[in-house]
Amino acid sequence: MVSLTRMKLLRLLLLAAMLALLLFISSLWLPQGGVRDCGGSWQPCLKFYRQTPLLVPEEGAEAPPLIPECPGQSFQARRLLRYLKSSLENADDVLLEPYLQSWDQLLKFMESLGTMVGFFSHKVKEKVVLIRELSLKRSLEAHGKRGPPDSSGLQIGANLSVRSMVEAELKDGVVDFSRRTDSGCRTLLRLHRSLLWLKLMLEGLAEGPDADGRYRTPGELSRAAYMVALAPHHPWVLRQAAEFVFLALPDRRYFLQLVCVRSQREAAPVLHAIINALALVHKQTQRILVEHDMLELP
């Protein structure tokens, strides 16, 4: 009996230590902003805004014009959708800079959910930065000097698409299929998995209530999406720490505010437009990675 109680105590102490470490790391990860616009460290940040009414689109109507700019917050669903669609202008590829701009918006979405989500967003931000740096490095090596940026912000000569980056890195021999490297391909694969996590979570938010009239909480939806998209690739300690993130997520109403709507009915067309665009980008990226046997890069 004493031994069992002691084991329970040790387990609680271990979980408490993990939580304290996660909180400490998260506090270093996220940018420090003015406390006037945010709640406590456990609360998300979102300024109140005056909503522009959202019309439910007719069948076949274009979604972007119906999604308003949402005053008072950094994440904008309208911009995210525009970048996602721009990344697919080439039918057989994913344009790199619009893809990364989509991630810039998704990072704002994640960081709006509170300090604890820094557990995910910091690593995602590092990967976005790394791919941009590798693209610039390729430009400098190709031209011997910094070229002027094009209209997308990339340097001329840099990797312009996912396919061109993959093929260039394979040609240069910088992709290692047996050990971890800081290649753009390996980094892209990690972003690709995180994109699936966000897509699955948003799909859950777009769902109606269950048979009992209950909506699943964002924490439940995020956990279910995580188990499919990311948990199979994470060690045990990381999976346990992720549980604290799910517990700290705000309620469903807050997520609706992030896409600038007030009800589940208004949210449906916005969420479905974003989900469809995410699915297309994920599918196209998946196809390129599969073609080059890159889904299991270490």
Side-chain angles (χ1 to χ4, degrees):
M1 182 68 178
V2 174
S3 177
L4 183 60
T5 303
R6 191 173 184 180
M7 288 181 65
K8 288 182 177 178
L9 179 60
L10 288 173
R11 196 175 197 179
L12 287 172
L13 289 173
L14 176 61
L15 288 173
M18 289 173 60
L19 176 58
L21 179 61
L22 179 58
L23 284 170
F24 173 71
I25 294 173
S26 297
S27 68
L28 298 178
W29 283 349
L30 287 182
Q32 302 299 312
V35 296
R36 293 171 299 176
D37 296 332
C38 304
S41 60
W42 289 84
Q43 299 298 324
C45 300
L46 178 67
K47 298 176 182 177
F48 290 103
Y49 58 87
R50 295 184 62 186
Q51 163 126 7
T52 303
L54 178 66
L55 301 176
V56 178
E58 298 177 358
E59 185 175 354
E62 284 294 323
L66 301 174
I67 301 178
E69 283 286 315
C70 203
Q73 63 183 55
S74 57
F75 169 71
Q76 297 292 336
R78 187 185 186 92
R79 296 178 196 174
L80 170 60
L81 193 55
R82 183 170 73 245
Y83 294 141
L84 288 169
K85 291 196 170 190
S86 295
S87 72
L88 295 170
E89 288 182 358
N90 185 327
D92 190 42
D93 209 342
V94 178
L95 299 182
L96 195 57
E97 185 56 22
Y99 174 81
L100 297 177
Q101 288 174 320
S102 301
W103 268 112
D104 291 337
Q105 279 298 311
L106 289 169
L107 279 165
K108 291 176 181 178
F109 173 79
M110 295 168 71
E111 290 174 354
S112 295
L113 301 179
T115 305
M116 290 292 285
V117 184
F119 173 76
F120 290 118
S121 64
H122 172 71
K123 291 300 181 183
V124 170
K125 184 181 292 185
E126 284 184 342
K127 290 171 176 56
V128 172
V129 169
L130 178 59
I131 289 179
R132 282 193 169 113
E133 288 177 346
L134 290 173
S135 185
L136 176 58
K137 180 181 177 182
R138 178 167 297 279
S139 171
L140 296 176
E141 289 174 348
H143 298 278
K145 62 180 180 178
R146 183 188 296 269
D150 64 13
S151 58
S152 72
L154 280 176
Q155 300 296 323
I156 293 176
N159 293 320
L160 298 180
S161 72
V162 167
R163 187 177 294 279
S164 67
M165 180 183 72
V166 169
E167 292 176 352
E169 288 198 341
L170 283 172
K171 181 180 179 181
D172 293 346
V174 299
V175 181
D176 197 314
F177 289 84
S178 60
R179 64 183 180 86
R180 295 183 178 184
T181 63
D182 285 333
S183 67
C185 292
R186 179 182 181 275
T187 307
L188 174 72
L189 176 60
R190 271 62 188 174
L191 286 179
H192 182 62
R193 292 168 180 169
S194 296
L195 193 75
L196 177 60
W197 170 62
L198 287 167
K199 182 182 82 73
L200 293 175
M201 183 178 69
L202 291 176
E203 285 176 355
L205 285 171
E207 291 175 355
D210 60 21
D212 297 325
R214 175 184 175 273
Y215 286 97
R216 287 196 292 170
T217 68
E220 291 170 336
L221 297 171
S222 296
R223 180 184 291 107
Y226 175 80
M227 294 305 294
V228 172
L230 294 173
H233 311 287
H234 285 176
W236 179 87
V237 173
L238 207 55
R239 295 197 302 270
Q240 297 305 306
E243 290 295 322
F244 293 111
V245 176
F246 306 139
L247 291 173
L249 287 178
D251 61 21
R252 179 180 286 262
R253 181 176 60 86
Y254 181 83
F255 279 80
L256 299 185
Q257 288 179 338
L258 278 177
V259 294
C260 221
V261 300
R262 294 188 184 279
S263 69
Q264 187 71 28
R265 185 188 69 85
E266 289 182 340
V270 178
L271 290 175
H272 282 301
I274 295 172
I275 291 164
N276 290 340
L278 286 171
L280 289 172
V281 172
H282 186 271
K283 182 179 179 180
Q284 189 75 290
T285 308
Q286 177 93 354
R287 183 182 296 118
I288 296 170
L289 291 172
V290 168
E291 285 177 11
H292 298 87
D293 298 319
M294 290 186 172
L295 286 184
E296 297 300 329
L297 281 177

